[in-house]
Amino acid sequence: ATCRDCAGGNIEPATLHRESQVPVKPPRKPDAGSDGPRLTVPHIFARFQFSVIYTQLGATQGTLMDQQRSMLQRILKSFTKELTSGFVIMSVMANDGSLLEHACSLDQDLTMLYMKSVDSAFVAAAAVAAAAAGKQPGPDAGGGCGYKALVFREIERISSPEEVRNLHIDNLILIDECCTTVVLAGQRCVTFRLESVDAREYLMLCLQVLRMSQDKARMWYP
C-alpha cells in the first residue's frame, strides 16, 4: 500500500454520502493459504496485557515491573523462535484491497522480516510434510516471487486500526480491527491482516520491540 499523504501531492477531499449511499466494502478474496502455519500467540501474552493495564492505572511496584520485563522476554523469545526456525503465513493487503498470502520469517540476526509471496497449495503440502517429519516447515517453502524484506531500522511507525485513519492510506475502508499498518522510510506502507485482534496486537508488540532494540536484539535471549 502507498501512503497518499506521503506522495507529495494534495490529499483528495473527502466525499460526503447520504446514509443510503455509503460505499460498501468490496468483497475480499478468500484466504487461499488457510492451511499454512499461522502466527501463534503464546499464553503469556494475555498475562502481559493485563499487567500493562495495571501499570497504566498507576501500579508501578518494582515486582510488577520485573514481571513485565520477564514476560516480555518470553514473548519475544516465542516470536523469534517461531519465525527463525520456520515461517508463518500472514496476509498482506495489496493496493486493490485484496489479501495476498506471504510466508514470513526472520533473519538470524533479527534485523528484518522476510516476506515471500507464496503458492498456497505448495505451502499446505510443505506444512503437511513438515508435520509428518515432526519439524517446522522451512522459510524456503512455497512457490512464487522472490523475497521482500521489511527492515526493522526503516520502520517509522506501527499503527493500530484507529491510528491508521490519520495516515490517509489507500483502501482505508478495508482496514479492520485485525489489521496493522507498518510505515517505513521512503514513503512506504505495509498493511498486515491477522486472524484475530490478539494476533494483531502480538505482532505489533514484537515488531515494536525489535525496532527499538536493533543494537541489543540478542539481549532478549536468556
Side-chain angles (χ1 to χ4, degrees):
T2 302
C3 294
R4 288 191 298 169
D5 60 344
C6 297
N10 294 326
I11 299 174
E12 297 178 5
T15 302
L16 299 180
H17 300 269
R18 296 179 181 176
E19 285 189 37
S20 59
Q21 297 176 330
V22 174
V24 179
K25 294 183 179 182
R28 287 178 171 173
K29 295 180 181 179
D31 292 336
S34 56
D35 291 333
R38 299 285 169 165
L39 191 63
T40 304
V41 181
H43 295 299
I44 192 68
F45 181 66
R47 288 179 54 196
F48 177 78
Q49 288 179 306
F50 280 118
S51 73
V52 170
I53 293 174
Y54 285 126
T55 302
Q56 291 173 342
L57 293 176
T60 56
Q61 296 90 342
T63 301
L64 179 60
M65 302 298 286
D66 289 341
Q67 289 176 347
Q68 286 181 342
R69 188 177 299 107
S70 175
M71 286 188 286
L72 187 57
Q73 290 174 352
R74 292 170 61 185
I75 288 168
L76 192 65
K77 182 179 179 180
S78 177
F79 181 79
T80 55
K81 181 179 180 181
E82 183 173 38
L83 273 77
T84 54
S85 62
F87 71 91
V88 298
I89 299 297
M90 288 195 279
S91 299
V92 177
M93 188 176 292
N95 288 333
D96 63 358
S98 62
L99 297 175
L100 305 179
E101 303 284 70
H102 285 70
C104 300
S105 60
L106 290 169
D107 69 315
Q108 292 298 319
D109 293 325
L110 308 181
T111 62
M112 64 187 71
L113 180 73
Y114 290 123
M115 301 185 298
K116 185 180 183 183
S117 178
V118 295
D119 177 85
S120 59
F122 194 97
V123 169
V128 171
K135 60 182 182 180
Q136 284 283 94
D140 291 331
C145 66
Y147 285 110
K148 304 174 187 175
L150 191 158
V151 180
F152 297 142
R153 286 188 181 279
E154 296 180 355
I155 294 177
E156 295 182 346
R157 188 186 312 175
I158 302 171
S159 301
S160 66
E162 296 78 15
E163 296 167 333
V164 86
R165 297 191 186 103
N166 299 321
L167 297 180
H168 304 288
I169 68 170
D170 295 331
N171 302 312
L172 180 60
I173 193 173
L174 299 176
I175 293 177
D176 60 23
E177 62 183 4
C178 293
C179 294
T180 180
T181 297
V182 180
V183 181
L184 302 165
Q187 307 173 355
R188 294 168 294 151
C189 297
V190 180
T191 296
F192 295 95
R193 187 179 190 279
L194 286 301
E195 288 66 48
S196 67
V197 174
D198 281 347
R200 186 260 297 171
E201 292 178 345
Y202 172 59
L203 176 65
M204 289 180 64
L205 174 65
C206 293
L207 291 181
Q208 287 167 347
V209 173
L210 287 173
R211 172 62 188 93
M212 293 187 295
S213 307
Q214 276 306 281
D215 297 330
K216 301 177 182 178
R218 293 293 180 181
M219 70 178 284
W220 300 107
Y221 286 92

